[in-house]
């Protein structure tokens, strides 16, 4: 079958009505191209460039025509020429170029282009591509449960697509011939909406024309039924009094309408120059999702939403962002159990349009969209997935132009025990300072390793200390985080623990070395509160051990540190007595630290200096207040290798 039949998706299905009568035609090639007659356009353009060079736009049209007709080698050559000349190439066409190369088994060239990181490709897109490529090649891709997929009995020899649940029935769009059907300017019949009952086995009964929306002779397609609003959303041609409406350039665009049961028809999006596709209403958030090709988008059609109040639009359209939208086309949004399903023809898929799933992590944040893999997806076009809970499992439908169907696009049903999609592990959260959690750590490394120590993925925190990392599911993972002059976090988690993290923030704390040390007496020491032994005593009282516990934690955070314990006293008493006293106190500190887990190899010296280093004038025979003598009674935990610790 053709890779892109005229009815593969709303992008080509419904745009066939937008051929403008006022559009200037520069050549026969242009005429055919704008009427989606791609094979004739190729012949015309090739003949024309024998007599005169094609314009850059015509070269791009010719490349697109080859792409639409599966001549991927010729398409990729033309896209390459346009790319090298920096002429008219957009992210949307760059995506087609990469698709052409992939179809020609030139993955090496694709990787070369991706390595150049052209401006067309966002950071999120690169992450999405890398992740899905690894996921589809992983062992988990071959261990997913088999789908029970069946071709719907309601399909015709024409195109049938865009299924939507309607009570115990399914609505769908169809290009099947009707006696009253008019033809658009491309010579194709207009689409209509049909309804089929759902049989106990999930099969669809003989369809009939859906009477729940006003009849017209023009396009009506891609329905969605909201039980809460008792309304059907659908796409329709802009028309008035039985005639199509065109903008000043001769374009007839597509609007989104809402028909409430027993009510009047209401147009929600209507612009003679802009088409809107695939409405989906989310009951929980009251958001109306749709696809459109606005100028500020990321490529072809992007997914957007508007906030509504009982179905009435209350906000401007919001783009779902570069995590979802790509330089390709994104269509057919559908939300089920906090996951967004949609179709995209982005270059790293299995074929043309593939269905992806992205978990909704917060109101406007999404996980990496995951290709659903073989079964739902194929080497051809797969789109418009819907599903619902049915008995002990799931019942769903989607459209595909895979081989073996009855028409250009067919509706397929499937049954499955659990939600489709390859299982992944997502960790997200904040990396902050352990002693001051309000202080976030930007540019901190976060990485995941498997049980053999291989790095599975890595990322760095943003300016707010936030990170997000996602990998194919693992039964055991080591989570690591680090930054220069900070401690290192490393912890192994098993499958049960990883499962418990799903949907929860996974925050990480790192100790900041520079917050834990200070300069004293010309050397780097662990930052501690002043503590004092009882007069003439060497035993460790609670206020001393509370400070020494900080040293124990410091060593855990920085296990390579090397210490020297120094203890001093004041000048009162004999010098030899003071020397023995401070030596015993240093030894007592050393014993405590070792008892609490500090390796003895980390404590290189334990020294008592007696009254050798008096810090003020309180020397032998000089009268001083107690507070001044106290200044000379001190213990320091010196970090000996401070200058090389982070080299």
């Amino acid at each position: 079958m053709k890779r892109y039949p005229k009815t593969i998706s709303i992008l080509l299905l419904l745009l066939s009505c937008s051929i403008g009568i006022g559009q200037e035609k520069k050549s026969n090639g242009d005429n055919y191209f704008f009427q989606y007659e791609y094979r004739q356009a190729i012949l015309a353009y090739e003949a024309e460039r024998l007599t005169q060079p094609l314009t850059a736009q015509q070269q791009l049209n010719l490349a697109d025509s080859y792409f639409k007709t599966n001549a991927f080698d010729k398409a990729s050559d033309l896209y390459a020429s346009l790319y090298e000349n920096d002429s008219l190439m957009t992210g949307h066409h760059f995506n087609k170029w990469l698709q052409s190369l992939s179809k020609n088994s030139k993955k090496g060239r694709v990787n070369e282009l991706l390595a150049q990181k052209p401006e067309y490709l966002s950071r999120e897109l690169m992450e999405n591509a890398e992740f899905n490529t690894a996921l589809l090649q992983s062992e988990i891709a071959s261990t997913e449960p088999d789908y029970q997929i069946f071709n719907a009995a309601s399909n015709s020899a024409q195109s049938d697509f865009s299924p939507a649940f309607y009570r115990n029935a399914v609505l769908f769009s169809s290009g099947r011939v009707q006696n009253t059907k008019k033809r658009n300017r491309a010579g194709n019949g207009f689409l209509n909406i049909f309804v089929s009952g759902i049989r106990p086995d999930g099969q669809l009964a003989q369809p009939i024309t859906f009477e729940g929306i006003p009849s017209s002779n023009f396009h009506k397609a891609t329905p969605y039924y909201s039980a809460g609003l008792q309304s059907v959303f659908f796409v329709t041609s802009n028309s008035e009094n039985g005639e199509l409406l065109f903008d000043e350039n001769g374009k007839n665009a597509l609007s989104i309408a809402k028909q409430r049961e027993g009510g009047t028809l209401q147009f929600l999006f209507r612009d003679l120059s802009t088409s809107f596709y695939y409405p989906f209403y989310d009951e929980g958030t009251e958001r109306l999702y749709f696809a459109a090709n606005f100028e500020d988008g990321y490529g072809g059609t992007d997914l957007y939403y508007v906030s509504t109040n009982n179905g009435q639009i209350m906000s401007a359209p919001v783009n779902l962002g570069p995590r979802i939208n790509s330089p390709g086309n994104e269509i057919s949004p559908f939300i089920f159990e906090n996951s967004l399903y949609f179709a995209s023809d982005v270059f790293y898929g299995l074929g043309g349009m593939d269905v992806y799933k992205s978990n909704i992590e917060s109101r406007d944040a999404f996980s990496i969209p995951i290709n659903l893999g073989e079964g739902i997806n194929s080497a051809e076009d797969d789109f418009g997935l819907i599903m619902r809970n049915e008995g002990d499992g799931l019942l769903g439908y989607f459209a595909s132009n895979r081989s073996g169907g009855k028409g250009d696009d067919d509706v397929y049903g499937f049954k499955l025990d659990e939600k489709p999609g390859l299982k992944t592990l997502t960790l997200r959260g904040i990396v902050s300072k352990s002693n001051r959690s309000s202080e976030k750590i930007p540019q901190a490394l976060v990485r995941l390793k498997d049980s053999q120590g291989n790095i599975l993925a890595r990322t760095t925190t943003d300016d707010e200390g936030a990170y997000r990392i996602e990998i194919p599911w693992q039964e055991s993972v080591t989570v690591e985080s680090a930054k220069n002059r900070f401690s290192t976090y490393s912890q192994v988690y098993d499958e049960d623990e990883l499962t418990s993290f799903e949907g929860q923030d996974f925050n990480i704390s790192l100790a900041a070395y520079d917050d834990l040390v200070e300069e004293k007496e010309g050397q780097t020491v662990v930052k501690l509160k002043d503590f004092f032994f009882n007069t003439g005593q060497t035993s460790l009282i609670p206020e001393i051990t509370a400070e020494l516990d900080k040293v124990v934690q410091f060593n855990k955070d920085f296990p390579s540190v090397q210490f020297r314990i120094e203890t001093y006293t004041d000048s009162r008493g004999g010098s030899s007595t003071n020397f023995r006293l401070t030596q015993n106190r240093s030894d007592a500190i050393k014993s405590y630290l070792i008892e609490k887990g500090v390796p003895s190899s980390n404590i290189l010296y334990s020294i008592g200096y007696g009254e050798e280093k008096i810090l003020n004038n309180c020397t032998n025979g000089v009268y001083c207040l107690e507070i001044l003598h106290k200044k000379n009674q001190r213990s320091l935990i010196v970090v000996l290798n401070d200058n090389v610790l982070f080299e």
Side-chain angles (χ1 to χ4, degrees), residues 10 23 56 175 228 366 613:
I10 201 68
Q23 188 173 32
F366 299 89
K613 295 184 179 181

Side-chain angles (χ1 to χ4, degrees), residues 5 7 14 90 97 101 163 230 234 295 344 438 442 462 478 488 568:
T7 53
L14 303 184
T90 64
W97 185 19
L101 292 169
Q230 295 184 313
F234 63 101
E295 291 184 358
S344 175
S438 61
D462 62 17
T478 299
T488 297
Y568 305 89

Side-chain angles (χ1 to χ4, degrees), residues 141 164 208 226 235 243 289 329 335 382 479 507 552 583 594 608 647:
I208 59 174
S226 166
V235 165
E243 298 294 332
Y289 292 81
N329 296 296
I335 293 175
D382 311 283
V479 181
N507 297 325
V552 175
Q583 183 62 55
I594 292 174
E647 288 186 350

Side-chain angles (χ1 to χ4, degrees), residues 107 111 114 126-138 347-349 371:
K107 292 289 187 181
N111 293 334
L114 294 178
M126 296 294 288
E127 292 174 350
N128 292 357
E130 181 179 355
F131 185 86
N132 276 276
T133 299
L135 182 62
L136 291 173
Q137 295 174 352
S138 67
F347 62 87
Y348 51 77
N371 191 298

